[in-house]
Amino acid sequence: MSDRKVSRRRSNRRRSRWAAVCGGVALSLTVGLQGVAAASDGPVPPRPPGRLLAAPAAFLGGLVHPEASPSGANDWSCRPTRRHPRPVVLVHATWTNAASNWSMLAPWLKRQGYCVFAPNYGGAPGSPFKANGPVPDSARQVARYVDRVLKATGARQVDLVGHSQGGGPTPRWYLRFEGGTDPAHPKRNKVHSLIGLAPSNHGVTASGLGTLTTELGLNPTVSALVGQAYADQMVGSEVNRKLDRGGDTQPGVDYTVIATRFDEVATPYQNQFLTAGPGATVRNVLIQEVCPADLSEHVSLSYDTNAAQLVSNALDPAHARPVRCGVSLPVLGG
């Protein structure tokens, strides 16, 4: 066989292989797009932007600018849409602030079309370490803020998304004791849903540190140094006893708890879960049961893109989508 014929055959084989590859790619793209179109009845929200140092960067930003609003939040001219009729109020954790806690979730929800609001509460003006005051006082501040949001937006209800204290005792106190709900007329509730990321719902032990200070009677001393929110969130505190005495939930409110097995603060993590009472719904989610490789702990859960997708599904369950699990690391998030 001549060298020319051998060369021609090799060239033909290469062209055939490329044609097969290109045809396969085109087929995959076509099937994928058809699948998206079939599964979607509206815009597909993008995956939350994950950056390796997003959480530490936000923490540093919150130290420098403790009163700043996170990007996408606190646009008081925002008006809710038919698709997203309820504003979302983000309630930060203990010893943080709105900017340090919500610099990933706030802009992402804003891009989805929500009116997003994020108060600073429970701390002295100018201090980066907020939500350290008594839980009932913080709940009253949240109550006033929600009233302001409802008045500015014209909405009838809000959805609350909170982290740690901000997803547990403070909003629950607001719902029960500060006018967030009307048990006799649940349709008049100011809050439609409460979504808690690692919420300190039934008290914390802080991996044993809280148990030690409680047993030694040191909680008042520690709270004098770091704020009353410390003692208020310990297992067996008066705040927790009062909240638990009437059951976990309020009629007419949808509750979602998103916990991580690796929580080092709100421990044991099972204390975060709620039990539904009359007229309420509860979804308790352990994130490792959704994304087994997720390594987020207490601090990084608000910068966990997997948790953010669960939040989005809880806010809009009619358009919930499977979580596309990504890497999420302790402290850093994902």
Side-chain angles (χ1 to χ4, degrees), residues 176-329:
R176 177 160 297 169
F177 302 116
E178 302 298 335
T181 59
D182 184 344
H185 304 92
K187 290 185 178 180
R188 299 179 186 173
N189 289 352
K190 296 178 181 178
V191 175
H192 176 271
S193 60
L194 169 59
I195 302 164
L197 296 165
S200 49
N201 274 320
H202 296 299
V204 307
T205 64
S207 296
L209 175 63
T211 303
L212 180 63
T213 60
T214 299
E215 291 295 324
L216 295 177
L218 295 176
N219 287 345
T221 302
V222 175
S223 293
L225 297 173
V226 300
Q228 182 61 32
Y230 177 87
D232 284 353
Q233 292 179 88
M234 290 299 111
V235 170
S237 72
E238 177 58 29
V239 164
N240 277 295
R241 289 199 302 270
K242 189 168 183 178
L243 280 173
D244 292 346
R245 200 174 296 138
D248 291 351
T249 61
Q250 291 293 100
V253 180
D254 292 335
Y255 296 80
T256 300
V257 172
I258 302 170
T260 171
R261 194 187 308 276
F262 304 115
D263 202 307
E264 75 281 23
V265 177
T267 54
Y269 73 82
Q270 294 90 341
N271 275 14
Q272 301 172 31
F273 295 147
L274 297 172
T275 299
T281 63
V282 170
R283 288 173 292 275
N284 293 314
V285 181
L286 183 63
I287 199 164
Q288 283 78 27
E289 293 181 353
V290 179
C291 298
D294 192 301
L295 299 178
S296 284
E297 35 64 68
H298 186 84
V299 174
S300 61
L301 198 61
S302 64
Y303 283 86
D304 182 336
T305 55
N306 305 322
Q309 292 179 80
L310 291 170
V311 169
S312 183
N313 285 346
L315 289 171
D316 190 6
H319 300 93
R321 299 179 183 279
V323 175
R324 296 172 288 167
C325 295
V327 175
S328 194
L329 302 175

Side-chain angles (χ1 to χ4, degrees), residues 98-181:
S100 62
N101 215 151
W102 303 119
S103 287
M104 180 189 78
L105 198 60
W108 184 59
L109 292 174
K110 180 69 171 181
R111 285 196 294 273
Q112 291 184 50
Y114 289 96
C115 291
V116 181
F117 297 89
N120 282 309
Y121 73 95
S127 170
F129 305 110
K130 302 184 186 298
N132 56 9
V135 163
D137 290 352
S138 292
R140 283 187 281 273
Q141 291 181 43
V142 171
R144 291 193 293 270
Y145 189 86
V146 169
D147 285 347
R148 183 185 173 196
V149 169
L150 292 174
K151 183 177 180 179
T153 61
R156 190 177 65 84
Q157 292 182 312
V158 302
D159 291 318
L160 301 179
V161 178
H163 182 205
S164 192
Q165 179 197 158
T170 289
R172 287 179 61 213
W173 191 282
Y174 160 55
L175 293 177
R176 177 160 297 169
F177 302 116
E178 302 298 335
T181 59

